[in-house]
Each structure stands twice: as C-alpha cells, then as structure tokens.
C-alpha cells in the first residue's frame, strides 16, 4: 500500500559549501522526472542552507538556497554530503530533531551520515556511510562496527553512502508514492538498469565484492582491501586462494592490465590519499596505516606527482578548481 500523504510531497534539501553535486542532481532529477512521468506535481522541493544565499559545490557550481526553517513542515529532508567530514555546517543535530518532531523522514548522505555517527558516539550496523568515511571513523577511534550497506534505516533516521547510491535511495522513496510501472519508467529514463536494494553492499567496502566475475581474482582483491595496513605477500595471497603466482599474475594482466603488486600498492596509496585529506594523522602515521613503513613520501610523489604534505596543504583548494 502506498503512503497516504497528500500531494504535493514536500522535500527539503539541506546543504553547505562544498556539497556533493552528484547527490543533489540525483535527488532533483529523479523528483523532476517523477513529476513528468505522472503528469502532476507529486513532489516539490526547496534547497536550504544555514544562512541562505548561494552555496558552492566542489565542482564550482553555485546553487541558490533559502535559510533553514525553525519550524519545518517537509515530509522528507535530505542532508547532503560535503566532501569535508569536519565541516561545521554538517553538525545539524538541532535541525534533525526539529524535522523528526515535525514527522519528517530524515535522510543523511555520506559525510552527513558519518558526522551523525560520530556525534552519537558509536558505529552500529543500523547506520551506514560511504566507505571512505567509514575508514575515517575507524582511524579516529569511533567505537563499534558499522554497516557497509548502501543504505540503512534505523526506523528514525536513514543513513546512506550517498554518491551514486543516492539514485537507488530516491527510487526506493518514489516506490512509496508511485506505481511500480511509474518507478520503472523513471529508472528507464535515467538509464538506471538495476535498482539496488538498501542492503546491497558498497562495491569497495562490501565484504562480498564482485568486480570481474573471476572468483579467485575477486577474492584476491577483497583480501588486499582487508589488509591495507599490514599487506600480505603475494605468496601468502596465492596460498589463501589456492592458485599459483603465475595464474594470479595472468588474471591481473587480463582484467586490470597490471601486476598484483602494482594493483595492491595503488590501493594502499589511494587509501593514503583519503587519510591525508580527511584526517589530521601525521604523514608518517598515514604511511604506516597504509603499509608503508619506509619510503612512503617518495612512493606517493612518484604515483601522484605531489608530496603528501603538498597534497594536504593544497588538496582542498585544488578540489574547487576547474
């Protein structure tokens, strides 16, 4: 049975400078197409920020917003991610409670979800966030073990990995108010072939990763991802997988056009990139956390063309540039 909410359904979108454009566009375009498909205004929406005015995303695009309402009346409220887990504008416990008091469904995406998790003090399986943010929560010592699902609903707040999973989340929301055929049409217009369920694991953080359809190769990548701080030797990997080193090398060259060692090293360097930009860990500690007890800065510069310190100093500024 569809929810008996009188149309139009009000959707508030809360954002701050540095918001994730992918998430905003997923929400707006799917709601807009839903109205088009049904030939009526099922949904209406408004963009809000703490003080109102133009808000700029990481891609350098400005969006006009209105100030937060002290007494909201929306049916749904989305809080967008920010790309900066420390952005003070993401601390919205007061606003979240106001929306809950008004009976709205509160939906927190990526960094907004991780900020809520950090401020409530514990990671639980009833909350999720983007795997990059989960890594930051773990590094900062937030207790507990959280979910790597795309979306988690604890009955009061919906948390999500955000990014591309926002499409799946909004399509599920549409399913509460539109016919199955209408939702399928919206998905078809977006060329979104498969609507993933909330419980679907994130492609990186998920423990049942499928990248290639090659069982041994997928298991190898999973083992690599699970052992970034203390990397396994290739001999240990093949022993766990039950294949030869030559076979593993052939699989990597066929599917990824690289060697197992090079792939593993790049995974660890990419993780180091995330920690440098999203934590206050020292460069040495980042290197250790990614399995580089020696020579980390040189390897990082060779791969990214910039030193770890330069990346940390200029990373946020570069993210705003074209």
């Amino acid at each position: 049975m569809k929810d008996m909410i009188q149309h139009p359904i009000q959707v508030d979108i809360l954002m701050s400078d540095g918001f994730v454009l992918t998430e905003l566009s997923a929400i707006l375009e799917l709601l807009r197409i839903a109205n088009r498909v049904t030939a009526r205004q099922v949904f209406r929406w408004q963009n809000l920020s703490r003080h109102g005015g133009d808000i700029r995303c990481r891609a350098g695009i400005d969006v006009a917003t209105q100030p937060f309402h002290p007494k909201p009346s929306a049916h749904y409220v989305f809080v967008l991610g920010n790309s900066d887990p420390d952005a003070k504008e993401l601390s919205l416990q007061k606003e979240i409670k106001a929306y809950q008091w008004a009976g709205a469904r509160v939906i927190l995406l990526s960094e907004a979800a991780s900020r809520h998790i950090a401020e409530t003090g514990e990671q639980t399986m009833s909350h999720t966030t983007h795997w990059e943010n989960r890594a930051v929560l773990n590094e900062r010592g937030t207790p507990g073990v959280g979910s790597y699902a795309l979306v988690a609903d604890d009955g009061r707040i919906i948390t999500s990995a955000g990014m591309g999973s926002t499409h799946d989340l909004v399509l599920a929301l549409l399913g509460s108010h539109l016919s199955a055929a209408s939702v399928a049409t919206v998905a078809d217009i977006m060329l979104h072939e498969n609507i993933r369920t909330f419980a679907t694991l994130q492609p990186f953080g998920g423990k049942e990763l499928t990248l290639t359809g090659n069982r041994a190769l997928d298991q190898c990548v999973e083992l690599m991802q699970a052992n970034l701080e203390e990397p396994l030797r290739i001999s240990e990997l093949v022993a766990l997988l039950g294949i030869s080193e030559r076979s593993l090398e052939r699989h990597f060259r066929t599917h990824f056009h690289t060697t197992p060692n090079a792939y593993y090293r790049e995974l660890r360097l990419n993780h180091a990139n995330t920690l440098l930009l999203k934590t206050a860990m020292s460069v040495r500690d980042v290197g250790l956390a990614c399995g580089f007890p020696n020579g980390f800065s040189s390897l990082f510069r060779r791969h990214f063309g910039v030193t770890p310190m330069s990346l940390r100093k200029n990373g946020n500024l570069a993210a705003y540039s074209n």
Side-chain angles (χ1 to χ4, degrees), residues 159-234:
T159 50
S160 168
M163 300 301 287
S165 70
T166 310
H167 290 86
D168 305 282
L169 172 55
V170 178
L171 285 166
L173 179 156
L174 297 184
S176 297
H177 306 286
L178 307 181
S179 68
S182 292
V183 175
T185 302
V186 172
D188 287 345
I189 291 171
M190 289 295 294
L191 303 181
H192 196 83
E193 184 177 4
N194 296 310
I195 303 175
R196 296 174 292 181
T197 66
F198 283 10
T200 302
L201 296 176
Q202 296 175 41
F204 182 95
K207 300 305 181 185
E208 296 179 4
L209 177 69
T210 298
L211 288 174
T212 66
N214 181 307
R215 182 178 177 83
L217 185 55
D218 289 341
Q219 289 178 336
C220 183
V221 172
E222 181 182 340
L223 285 168
M224 289 177 172
Q225 291 172 338
N227 293 276
L228 298 179
E229 184 170 352
E230 296 182 6
L232 300 172
R233 295 187 298 272
I234 298 301

Side-chain angles (χ1 to χ4, degrees), residues 24 27 67 73 97 99 113 236 248 321:
L24 178 63
I27 298 166
S73 59
K97 289 179 181 178
Y99 275 100
E236 293 175 300
L248 184 65
S321 62

